[in-house]
Amino acid sequence: MNELLNATHDPKLRSWVASANGAETDFPIQNLPFGSYSEGPQGARKIGVAIGDQVLDLRATGLVNTADMNELMAQSPQVLSALRAAISQGLSEGSTKQGEWKGFLSGQDAVTLHLPCRIGDYTDFYTGIHHATTVGKLFRPDAPLLPNYKWVPIGYHGRASSIGVSGQAFHRPLGQTKGPNEEVPVLRPSHRLDYELELGVLVGQGNALGEPIGMEQAEAHAFGMVLLNDWSARDVQAWEYQPLGPFLAKNFASTISPWIVTLEALAPFRAPFAHPESDPQPLPYLDSPANRNQGGIGVALEVWLETQAMRDKGQGPERLSQSNFLDAYWTVAQMLTHHTVNGCNLQPGDLLGSGTLSGPKPEQAGSLLELSLGGKKVLTLANGETRTFLEDGDAVILRASCERSGFRRIGFGDCRGQVLPARAQAAAR
Amino acid sequence: MNELLNATHDPKLRSWVASANGAETDFPIQNLPFGSYSEGPQGARKIGVAIGDQVLDLRATGLVNTADMNELMAQSPQVLSALRAAISQGLSEGSTKQGEWKGFLSGQDAVTLHLPCRIGDYTDFYTGIHHATTVGKLFRPDAPLLPNYKWVPIGYHGRASSIGVSGQAFHRPLGQTKGPNEEVPVLRPSHRLDYELELGVLVGQGNALGEPIGMEQAEAHAFGMVLLNDWSARDVQAWEYQPLGPFLAKNFASTISPWIVTLEALAPFRAPFAHPESDPQPLPYLDSPANRNQGGIGVALEVWLETQAMRDKGQGPERLSQSNFLDAYWTVAQMLTHHTVNGCNLQPGDLLGSGTLSGPKPEQAGSLLELSLGGKKVLTLANGETRTFLEDGDAVILRASCERSGFRRIGFGDCRGQVLPARAQAAAR
């Protein structure tokens, strides 16, 4: 189908790890995502590869000599591709490695998963044009998209320190908010707490300060992708964000999934990418034949909500929406190239968020701000509960998967986070 | 004068390092700022203390057992205060340490100075109310300050990876810009390149995610201060910054001074701090008796410009403006407390910029954007050259010092950065 494919993508490949061959698993042998784990919360960090419901200790195999994910990420795509091929061979049915490697497996449920790498800088883009349009309409009904949107891959810097791995629970943030009928702002718990459904790109090889990355080279700097929940306090944001952008509305917590799905694993799901002819075409520095031919990546996305009442009654979570990364307005390569065109240096482990990935239909929105029309429309859940924004105890689970006829489905694993009640306000004094 | 003072601030103290006793030095024994240096660019990193024109190898003295500044910064104020007292005693005239310690000195000119610490996250505030007002007037003559300004210490996240130490030289950035008469944007070198005169607070002890820092504890989390030049491409900023704030207009380079002047060294220069009665008073979480009594810090600031022509003719740099940190609208404690009120975690080495520190008079502006009224007023230099924004070859030098009757003057050392020509545009393809 495309020149990015190789033997590791063969849908007929099966693993001697039985759970990797089930239809339901996110982690068949065609995926092989990387994560960081330890045996017990305080154990030494190891680089793991997810296979079925197991994790393979990569260093134990002798294929790498580091337990530091950022060092691995800094390797060239050629080295990483060779590593992937060797892992794939070793885990394949009939491999001579089976006897040795089965001793390097642990159950994913039995280990502690950590942030997959050290994230030096976190940038959040705004590539979800349907999100930008819907949110823009709430403020500017006649001109929802600003004039720069279709020219500039809009982005801003986020907070790296408060990014946590799936399973993160955080207290509802306090913040200054000011209601429409209030004369002065008040410090109080956010009452418009929201999630944002995003994908994140984790940077592999960096670039030196002052040396931009062109479109042809851009994807060689993308190690892989994760799910990202960019939790947002909408009432804090509305009061604080002018003129310099979101700050405390976003930096109390952000959650990513533990497994980095490599660009190579995503190769079968590439798709042509182009803006409609009625739109401005990208400036030359953001354009390339490869980007037009296969710059898109088909990643199906889902948001699930699990309330305290659902847990109490043993009910499973409810799906709130579905969308696809193909509906984004800018590609991975365009984000990377734009970020560095001024000479800004990217480093291994840096995170680039996609921005909220909403689909074109209202029910495909990637945030409650959109689904509830800014809090005006109440959502009724199947169990009778209602929501406009998140309540204490709510857990949000993001999921992603890639499917295409003739290829094995792969998934990203869950990205789960939970809202705890606000701390007593006295703690903020 | 205040309870923050101790024997290390005694103006009569003299050092056996002769250059520390001169009237001109930024680094008398009353200062003792920390920096990171090596013997030669590739040598091992050491923690140094500036004394006169020398640097003391701190680990060699046996007073600390680490060469990692971030580890030192994570210590409690009590431990750091005891360390300062021991350094002060050892460097004082008549100290029994002189014979041993003189072997631990190197000339500051003979060593390589590095970034003083690893900066995990960089936040830039906007505390310069005169800057905010002047810039606001360029866009909104009737309402220069937005309604949130006097309630919220406005801040946003910056880019940590591109922060360099004094001496940094960087290529003029390329970026998308769109002139008022242009129908579409163009990628080209910024032609409205500017500096911003700021102070930076480097965080010492961190706080756990979810645990805000109250006003009474805030300064215990501030290790010290540096000068910060937040270089800005105004034309890029104007086109890109809506709705999420500055991005590529700022992240191509930021420069800090190499020596961290500790809060303890700044104690003699503390001052009462209050907003005028006609202004809203701070919300309770941003208020404290200590902040009102001595939240201000008198730091005199200067911007100097050195052009290529000046260097060619052996002329010294020209001073463009002077201001003072006392004119900021929010204090160090208020920045730290606001940043964490939502639970955001700060880590040792994090940098909090003050925002551009302009004084109340037009000639006290901390940026060319203000001095040139958005490019409309041409500045004529003493040598006949003119500027609205920075030209290739221009070096900008920021300086800061603290003086008060009855105390020894201390300074910050230079924060110097230089603009190199833009790289050929093909490099961005």
Side-chain angles (χ1 to χ4, degrees):
Chain A
M1 185 203 79
N2 69 42
E3 71 271 25
L4 302 174
L5 296 180
N6 58 46
T8 67
H9 301 108
D10 182 347
K12 296 189 293 298
L13 270 187
R14 292 170 57 87
S15 175
W16 51 263
V17 179
S19 59
N21 301 320
E24 298 299 309
T25 184
D26 277 355
F27 308 122
I29 194 169
Q30 290 81 3
N31 194 346
L32 304 176
F34 295 95
S36 177
Y37 75 103
S38 60
E39 311 281 351
Q42 305 304 325
R45 300 289 175 99
K46 301 178 180 184
I47 299 176
V49 177
I51 180 75
D53 60 8
Q54 302 290 300
V55 52
L56 175 72
D57 179 347
L58 187 57
R59 191 178 197 171
T61 65
L63 293 175
V64 303
N65 59 9
T66 180
D68 184 310
M69 185 75 79
N70 293 66
E71 280 184 29
L72 182 68
M73 297 170 88
Q75 302 301 312
S76 71
Q78 292 72 29
V79 167
L80 292 171
S81 189
L83 173 62
R84 174 180 165 86
I87 298 168
S88 177
Q89 284 164 21
L91 289 171
S92 289
E93 262 182 1
S95 166
T96 57
K97 300 285 188 191
Q98 179 173 355
E100 184 188 5
W101 285 20
K102 68 183 179 191
F104 307 148
L105 293 177
S106 303
Q108 286 166 25
D109 285 347
V111 302
T112 301
L113 291 168
H114 303 281
L115 277 179
C117 59
R118 292 185 308 281
I119 298 170
D121 276 294
Y122 160 38
T123 297
D124 204 16
F125 281 89
Y126 198 50
T127 72
I129 188 169
H130 304 294
H131 170 75
T133 304
T134 305
V135 173
K137 264 184 199 158
L138 296 175
F139 296 97
R140 300 172 301 275
D142 297 332
L145 276 188
L146 291 167
N148 57 12
Y149 188 88
K150 292 185 175 179
W151 297 97
V152 180
I154 297 289
Y156 69 109
H157 301 114
R159 179 86 193 172
S161 72
S162 50
I163 299 172
V165 73
S166 181
Q168 185 176 32
F170 59 89
H171 295 278
R172 176 180 297 271
L174 296 181
Q176 276 194 40
T177 61
K178 185 172 167 297
N181 300 319
E182 291 176 324
E183 296 218 343
V184 301
V186 178
L187 181 73
R188 55 192 155 197
S190 169
H191 63 280
R192 288 163 72 92
L193 186 62
D194 203 354
Y195 59 82
E196 289 193 333
L197 168 63
E198 303 197 15
L199 284 168
V201 178
L202 286 164
V203 173
Q205 299 179 103
N207 63 304
L209 191 62
E211 296 184 7
I213 300 170
M215 283 293 284
E216 289 81 1
Q217 287 304 310
E219 287 193 0
H221 295 263
F223 183 79
M225 300 186 78
V226 291
L227 280 159
L228 165 62
N229 188 337
D230 184 33
W231 306 95
S232 299
R234 303 297 180 189
D235 40 1
V236 175
Q237 189 172 349
W239 174 235
E240 76 167 4
Y241 92 107
Q242 290 282 17
L244 297 178
F247 179 45
L248 298 189
K250 300 272 195 176
N251 65 13
F252 53 90
S254 312
T255 310
I256 66 174
S257 52
W259 298 108
I260 314 174
V261 177
T262 62
L263 265 272
E264 191 170 350
L266 294 166
F269 313 102
R270 305 302 296 247
F273 187 88
H275 296 158
E277 285 199 19
S278 55
D279 280 345
Q281 295 306 296
L283 291 181
Y285 82 97
L286 292 174
D287 195 15
S288 78
N291 197 58
R292 276 174 261 136
N293 290 339
Q294 55 194 26
I297 308 177
V299 184
L301 300 156
E302 299 180 333
V303 182
W304 295 72
L305 176 66
E306 179 191 272
T307 69
Q308 185 62 50
M310 292 175 190
R311 282 192 296 276
D312 291 345
K313 294 176 186 163
Q315 299 165 338
E318 173 167 339
R319 190 168 63 197
L320 295 186
S321 70
Q322 294 177 272
S323 66
N324 198 296
F325 186 40
L326 286 176
D327 285 319
Y329 198 78
W330 302 102
T331 64
V332 170
Q334 287 170 327
M335 286 191 269
L336 285 156
T337 293
H338 182 67
H339 203 316
T340 64
V341 69
N342 67 346
C344 182
N345 56 328
L346 302 180
Q347 298 180 322
D350 285 348
L351 175 65
L352 312 187
S354 63
T356 307
L357 294 169
S358 301
K361 299 179 190 164
E363 67 271 23
Q364 292 177 312
S367 70
L368 285 173
L369 180 69
E370 296 160 84
L371 290 174
S372 75
L373 303 177
K376 291 193 213 98
K377 179 182 160 189
V378 175
L379 279 70
T380 301
L381 306 176
N383 69 355
E385 287 187 275
T386 59
R387 288 291 183 276
T388 48
F389 291 98
L390 294 171
E391 302 288 337
D392 292 348
D394 283 355
V396 175
I397 304 141
L398 309 183
R399 291 179 182 154
S401 60
C402 305
E403 291 189 70
R404 170 168 277 173
S405 174
F407 290 95
R408 186 70 159 83
R409 174 192 174 279
I410 65 172
F412 279 61
D414 284 3
C415 176
R416 179 191 174 99
Q418 186 168 337
V419 182
L420 304 175
R423 297 177 78 112
Q425 191 157 342
R429 292 296 306 282
Chain B
M1 188 203 79
N2 69 42
E3 70 273 24
L4 301 174
L5 296 180
N6 57 45
T8 67
H9 301 107
D10 182 349
K12 296 188 294 295
L13 269 188
R14 290 170 57 87
S15 176
W16 50 262
V17 180
S19 59
N21 302 318
E24 299 298 310
T25 184
D26 277 356
F27 309 122
I29 193 168
Q30 290 80 3
N31 193 346
L32 304 177
F34 295 95
S36 178
Y37 75 103
S38 59
E39 311 279 351
Q42 306 304 327
R45 300 290 175 98
K46 300 177 180 184
I47 298 176
V49 177
I51 180 74
D53 60 8
Q54 303 290 300
V55 53
L56 175 71
D57 180 346
L58 187 58
R59 191 179 198 171
T61 66
L63 293 175
V64 302
N65 59 9
T66 179
D68 183 308
M69 186 75 78
N70 293 63
E71 281 184 27
L72 182 66
M73 298 170 87
Q75 301 302 310
S76 72
Q78 292 73 27
V79 167
L80 293 170
S81 188
L83 174 63
R84 173 180 167 85
I87 298 168
S88 176
Q89 284 164 19
L91 289 171
S92 290
E93 262 182 2
S95 166
T96 56
K97 299 287 188 190
Q98 179 174 354
E100 183 189 5
W101 284 20
K102 69 185 178 191
F104 306 149
L105 294 176
S106 302
Q108 285 166 24
D109 285 349
V111 303
T112 301
L113 291 168
H114 302 281
L115 277 179
C117 60
R118 294 185 306 282
I119 299 169
D121 275 295
Y122 161 38
T123 296
D124 205 15
F125 281 89
Y126 198 50
T127 72
I129 187 170
H130 304 294
H131 169 75
T133 304
T134 305
V135 172
K137 265 184 197 158
L138 297 174
F139 296 95
R140 301 172 300 275
D142 297 331
L145 276 188
L146 292 167
N148 57 11
Y149 188 87
K150 292 184 175 179
W151 296 98
V152 181
I154 297 289
Y156 69 109
H157 301 115
R159 179 85 193 172
S161 72
S162 51
I163 300 172
V165 72
S166 180
Q168 184 177 31
F170 59 89
H171 295 280
R172 177 181 296 271
L174 297 181
Q176 276 194 39
T177 62
K178 183 169 168 298
N181 301 318
E182 290 176 324
E183 297 217 346
V184 301
V186 178
L187 181 73
R188 55 193 155 196
S190 168
H191 63 281
R192 288 164 72 92
L193 186 62
D194 203 353
Y195 58 83
E196 288 193 333
L197 168 63
E198 302 196 17
L199 283 168
V201 177
L202 286 164
V203 172
Q205 298 178 104
N207 64 304
L209 190 62
E211 296 184 7
I213 300 171
M215 282 293 283
E216 289 79 2
Q217 288 305 310
E219 288 194 359
H221 295 263
F223 183 79
M225 300 186 78
V226 291
L227 281 159
L228 165 62
N229 188 336
D230 183 34
W231 306 95
S232 299
R234 304 296 182 188
D235 41 1
V236 175
Q237 189 172 346
W239 174 235
E240 77 169 2
Y241 92 106
Q242 290 282 18
L244 297 177
F247 179 44
L248 298 189
K250 301 273 195 176
N251 66 13
F252 52 90
S254 313
T255 310
I256 66 173
S257 52
W259 297 107
I260 313 174
V261 178
T262 62
L263 265 269
E264 191 172 348
L266 294 166
F269 313 103
R270 304 302 296 250
F273 186 88
H275 295 157
E277 285 200 19
S278 55
D279 280 346
Q281 296 307 296
L283 290 182
Y285 81 97
L286 292 174
D287 196 15
S288 79
N291 196 58
R292 277 174 259 137
N293 291 338
Q294 56 194 24
I297 309 177
V299 184
L301 300 157
E302 301 180 332
V303 182
W304 296 72
L305 176 67
E306 179 191 271
T307 69
Q308 186 62 50
M310 292 175 191
R311 282 192 296 276
D312 291 346
K313 294 175 186 165
Q315 299 166 337
E318 174 168 339
R319 190 169 62 200
L320 295 186
S321 70
Q322 294 176 272
S323 66
N324 197 295
F325 185 40
L326 286 176
D327 286 319
Y329 198 78
W330 302 103
T331 65
V332 170
Q334 286 169 327
M335 286 191 270
L336 285 156
T337 293
H338 182 66
H339 203 315
T340 63
V341 71
N342 67 345
C344 182
N345 57 329
L346 302 179
Q347 298 180 323
D350 285 349
L351 175 65
L352 312 187
S354 62
T356 308
L357 294 169
S358 302
K361 299 178 189 165
E363 67 271 22
Q364 293 177 310
S367 71
L368 285 172
L369 180 70
E370 296 160 85
L371 290 174
S372 75
L373 302 177
K376 292 195 211 97
K377 179 183 161 190
V378 176
L379 279 70
T380 302
L381 306 176
N383 70 356
E385 287 188 274
T386 60
R387 288 289 182 279
T388 48
F389 290 98
L390 294 171
E391 302 287 337
D392 292 348
D394 283 356
V396 175
I397 304 142
L398 309 183
R399 290 179 182 153
S401 59
C402 304
E403 290 189 70
R404 170 168 275 174
S405 173
F407 291 96
R408 187 69 158 84
R409 174 193 175 278
I410 65 172
F412 279 61
D414 285 1
C415 176
R416 180 193 174 99
Q418 187 168 338
V419 181
L420 305 174
R423 298 177 78 113
Q425 191 156 341
R429 292 298 303 282

